[in-house]
């Protein structure tokens, strides 16, 4: 008779043992199941933004706006007029999408642009230097490109 009770009591004893001391371990999720919070911009939920260099490059705000040659009219048809936005620069009959930027100081940047205009595409680098008062912007050549820097005024 002892033999018939033994098989029935073993599962009962194992069930009780599993319920009694294992409750602390059962509440903790397995490491593979732990959720990691993610912020809206894709950063880890620790308050940090994306790692350096992985975000989209952007031109600093003091450079934004419409600029034209200091003696220009600021009219859309002015051939020296440019429009600077965070990720692009519009020139007369062409548009450059920002692909890289080197910020030497708050008033001195060099941009690399993927240009498109009049059915053609090309890459261009251009340096832009703001005056101390932020009212004048001077484009300057980079590398082998050569032109006389012509100061631009900010248009209203």
């Amino acid at each position: 008779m002892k033999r018939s009770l033994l098989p029935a009591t073993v599962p009962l004893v194992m069930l009780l043992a599993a319920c009694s001391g294992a409750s602390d371990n059962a509440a903790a999720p397995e490491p593979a199941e732990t959720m990691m919070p993610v912020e809206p911009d894709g950063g880890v939920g620790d308050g940090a933004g994306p790692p350096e260099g992985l975000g989209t490059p952007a031109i600093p705000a003091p450079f934004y706006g419409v600029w034209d040659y200091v003696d220009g009219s600021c009219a859309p048809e002015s051939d020296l007029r440019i429009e600077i936005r965070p990720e692009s620069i519009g020139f007369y009959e062409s548009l450059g999408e920002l692909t890289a930027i080197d910020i030497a100081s708050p008033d001195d940047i060099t941009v690399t642009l993927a240009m498109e205009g009049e059915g053609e595409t090309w890459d261009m680098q251009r340096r832009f230097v703001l005056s101390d008062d932020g009212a004048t912007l001077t484009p300057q050549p980079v590398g082998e490109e050569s032109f006389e820097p012509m100061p631009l005024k900010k248009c209203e």
Side-chain angles (χ1 to χ4, degrees):
M1 214 160 162
K2 289 183 182 177
R3 286 188 182 173
S4 65
L5 291 176
L6 185 62
T9 58
V10 171
L12 181 60
V13 170
M14 291 180 68
L15 180 62
L16 289 172
C19 292
S20 63
S23 63
D24 293 339
N25 291 339
E30 292 294 319
E33 296 174 4
T34 302
M35 297 294 291
M36 182 181 300
V38 177
E39 294 178 354
D41 66 354
V44 176
D46 61 1
E52 188 83 24
L54 293 182
T56 305
I59 297 170
F63 293 85
Y64 298 173
V66 176
W67 302 83
D68 197 3
Y69 180 60
V70 291
D71 293 331
S73 66
C74 289
E77 58 274 0
S78 176
D79 60 353
L80 294 177
R81 180 182 188 266
I82 65 172
E83 184 173 351
I84 300 178
R85 293 178 290 278
E87 297 173 5
S88 65
I89 300 178
F91 296 88
Y92 182 73
E93 297 185 351
S94 64
L95 176 67
E97 293 292 329
L98 185 67
T99 58
I101 185 166
D102 178 34
I103 302 174
S105 73
D107 59 354
D108 185 348
I109 63 172
T110 300
V111 297
T112 302
L113 304 167
M115 299 295 298
E116 184 176 327
E118 298 184 359
E120 296 185 33
T121 60
W122 67 98
D123 291 327
M124 179 177 82
Q125 282 192 311
R126 185 72 37 94
R127 181 176 175 210
F128 292 98
V129 179
L130 275 173
S131 61
D132 289 339
D133 64 0
T136 305
L137 179 68
T138 306
Q140 298 181 357
V142 175
E144 296 180 17
E145 185 180 36
S146 177
F147 63 84
E148 185 67 32
M150 301 175 81
L152 307 174
K153 65 180 176 186
K154 190 144 193 179
C155 300
E156 294 300 322

